[in-house]
Amino acid sequence: MKFETKVIHAGVEPDPLTGAVMTPIYQTSTYKQDSPGVHKGYEYARTQNPTREALEKNLAALEKGYGAVSFSSGLAAMDAILKTLESGDEIISTNDLYGGSYRQIKAIFEKLGIKSKFIDMTDPENLRHAISDSTKLIWVETPTNPMLQIVDIEAICKIAAEKGIKVCVDNTFASPYLQTPIDLGADMILHSATKYLGGHSDVVHGAVICKSESDYEKIKFVQNASGAVPGPMDCFLILRGIKTLHLRVERACQNAEKIAKYLRDHPKVEKVYYPGFESHPGHEIAKKQMKKFGGMISFDLGNNNEEAAMKVLAATRYFLLAESLGGVESLIGHPASMTHGSIPPEERAKIGLTDSLIRVSVGIENGDDLIADLDSSLKNI
Ligand SMILES: *Cc1c(COP(=O)(O)O)cnc(C)c1O
């Protein structure tokens, strides 16, 4: 099955009771048993729910894994992965990381004895030097957020495999339409399905997709034992969003390419971070591991000028000032004060995350309208 067919058909069977073409929302907490322990495979909805199962089968097919396990948010999904570690284990992560992921590692798991290192993985050799005897998990985000650095997934997985260490890739920014890390050697995939998979900014949801049955069983155990499960309505919405994933991401990529070029030529913009540019240090790797360059762009107005950034943010009409990304509508944000506020200023400065940096998530509106919107907003500085 090709990708465009999988998004519609994988895991989705017409309802056996009625023939309903769309997966019903099984809004129930429990299931009647014929006699104690004799049932149709469904006992209690934290453990099993047919709407959730359809979504999980679909996600496993898209990411080419053995199985998928879904959660009430992306961070709940990450929490389940980190709970498979033990006190004393170490996680090595990319240093340009989603703010909430950084906070979870530092503020929740460090206390429980999980050690962590944050390194620049754009040079995979840095990983080789960082690995210690206690390293049990490599955490990769690519393209990174918000600096849009590219990490060579295959190279990282090779180094990790030599040492028998698992790799999890946060594939939220690329989506499985652009990038399938399991093909490149990854063991687990994390998704904040809140973003491109859901695609309509109307639901919070997360998932882990595992290459092996043994990892799948471990994550599945945490899903039931810790209990951060998504509701059936949320699963339905994600499943519905996924049906147009290829069309939406394709269009967002087209718009982003146009907008990135426009910003690069603008005299008030000092620097544009976009992996589609040949001048981007990760361009060749992005070309190798991604189908297109994604819908995310960051740009810097220069001089750490927060005031200028604030003026631009306040004046756009279609680019809505909001956190999040990957929806049909375009969004604009200020990482230093919004998504990355929980990362200390010294850490932010190290990666170039200045106070004059603006991030946009390009939607699927008309590209010329979006450029006109940015153009009139940039006239304010
Ligand atoms: C949003 C996001 C998360 C967290 O997901 P939630 O659904 O908000 O909990 C994790 N990683 C990345 C890259 C994200 O963009």
Side-chain angles (χ1 to χ4, degrees):
M1 224 191 285
K2 300 270 196 313
F3 191 87
E4 295 80 352
T5 311
K6 275 189 198 170
V7 292
I8 314 243
H9 293 288
V12 177
E13 296 292 337
D15 177 44
L17 187 64
T18 63
V21 168
M22 288 300 138
T23 310
I25 302 161
Y26 282 89
Q27 192 74 52
T28 188
S29 64
T30 190
Y31 308 87
K32 179 188 168 290
Q33 307 197 0
D34 293 333
S35 58
V38 180
H39 51 74
K40 300 183 166 65
Y42 298 93
E43 296 150 282
Y44 183 63
R46 174 166 26 77
T47 319
Q48 309 103 349
N49 180 283
T51 317
R52 192 173 90 204
E53 282 169 8
L55 170 61
E56 290 174 343
K57 283 190 186 137
N58 184 274
L59 286 169
L62 298 187
E63 287 286 8
K64 306 184 187 176
Y66 169 84
V69 189
S70 75
F71 294 89
S72 54
S73 72
L75 285 183
M78 179 179 186
D79 178 83
I81 296 173
L82 297 193
K83 278 178 178 159
T84 63
L85 300 176
E86 285 173 22
S87 177
D89 289 350
E90 179 185 70
I91 168 169
I92 302 181
S93 164
T94 39
N95 60 356
D96 177 20
L97 189 64
Y98 176 72
S101 303
Y102 178 85
R103 181 177 56 201
Q104 182 172 113
I105 294 171
K106 294 297 284 181
I108 307 282
F109 284 94
E110 197 163 273
K111 250 186 355 207
L112 302 177
I114 307 292
K115 295 179 283 182
S116 57
K117 281 187 195 137
F118 299 86
I119 65 166
D120 176 4
M121 284 192 215
T122 55
D123 179 1
E125 286 307 306
N126 290 342
L127 175 63
R128 205 184 288 281
H129 299 131
I131 288 173
S132 71
D133 289 343
S134 50
T135 308
K136 291 286 150 54
L137 181 67
I138 313 293
W139 192 271
V140 177
E141 220 181 280
T142 182
T144 65
N145 177 22
M147 303 313 296
L148 298 163
Q149 292 174 5
I150 302 293
V151 174
D152 187 336
I153 298 172
E154 198 171 12
I156 293 292
C157 291
K158 255 194 205 131
I159 294 169
E162 281 168 21
K163 313 263 181 186
I165 302 167
K166 303 254 181 209
V167 178
C168 177
V169 176
D170 182 336
N171 207 26
T172 301
F173 264 43
S175 91
Y177 178 64
L178 298 180
Q179 174 174 288
T180 44
I182 286 177
D183 283 337
L184 304 168
D187 300 285
M188 278 178 274
I189 310 296
L190 179 101
H191 271 289
S192 169
T194 315
K195 318 293 169 54
Y196 284 104
L197 294 176
H200 294 73
S201 304
D202 52 9
V203 58
V204 173
H205 184 278
V208 182
I209 298 96
C210 303
K211 177 163 69 180
S212 73
E213 181 177 1
S214 65
D215 283 337
Y216 168 78
E217 292 299 340
K218 280 185 205 159
I219 302 292
K220 187 90 194 138
F221 177 82
V222 180
Q223 180 195 40
N224 187 49
S226 278
V229 291
M233 177 76 184
D234 291 355
C235 294
F236 171 86
L237 286 171
I238 299 296
L239 202 49
R240 173 160 125 157
I242 287 173
K243 292 178 202 295
T244 55
L245 178 67
H246 53 306
L247 301 173
R248 289 184 287 102
V249 174
E250 190 66 40
R251 180 58 177 271
C253 289
Q254 280 172 22
N255 280 346
E257 192 180 337
K258 269 196 193 173
I259 291 168
K261 286 180 179 157
Y262 156 79
L263 288 169
R264 184 171 60 179
D265 292 340
H266 198 288
K268 299 270 173 66
V269 175
E270 190 183 82
K271 192 162 174 153
V272 180
Y273 299 91
Y274 173 64
F277 288 152
E278 270 170 35
S279 58
H280 186 290
H283 179 71
E284 287 305 318
I285 298 161
K287 235 163 78 178
K288 187 180 74 166
Q289 69 189 18
M290 298 172 75
K291 190 170 174 159
K292 298 217 159 153
F293 302 105
M296 301 300 297
I297 306 168
S298 291
F299 61 100
D300 199 327
L301 301 173
N303 302 322
N304 213 30
N305 189 342
E306 185 172 13
E307 202 190 321
M310 291 300 170
K311 277 189 187 151
V312 172
L313 293 164
T316 51
R317 175 175 167 203
Y318 301 128
F319 282 90
L320 305 176
L321 175 63
E323 294 197 3
S324 201
L325 61 114
V328 289
E329 74 295 333
S330 293
L331 298 179
I332 192 163
H334 184 243
S337 64
M338 295 168 69
T339 46
H340 290 66
S342 54
I343 296 182
E346 327 70 86
E347 292 292 319
R348 292 205 300 260
K350 268 191 222 162
I351 57 169
L353 202 169
T354 63
D355 291 345
S356 47
L357 188 81
I358 291 174
R359 188 193 82 175
V360 292
S361 166
V362 178
I364 64 171
E365 301 96 330
N366 180 285
D368 295 332
D369 279 347
L370 295 177
I371 288 176
D373 190 25
L374 288 173
D375 200 58
S376 76
S377 168
L378 281 161
K379 289 203 167 82
N380 290 299
I381 54 169

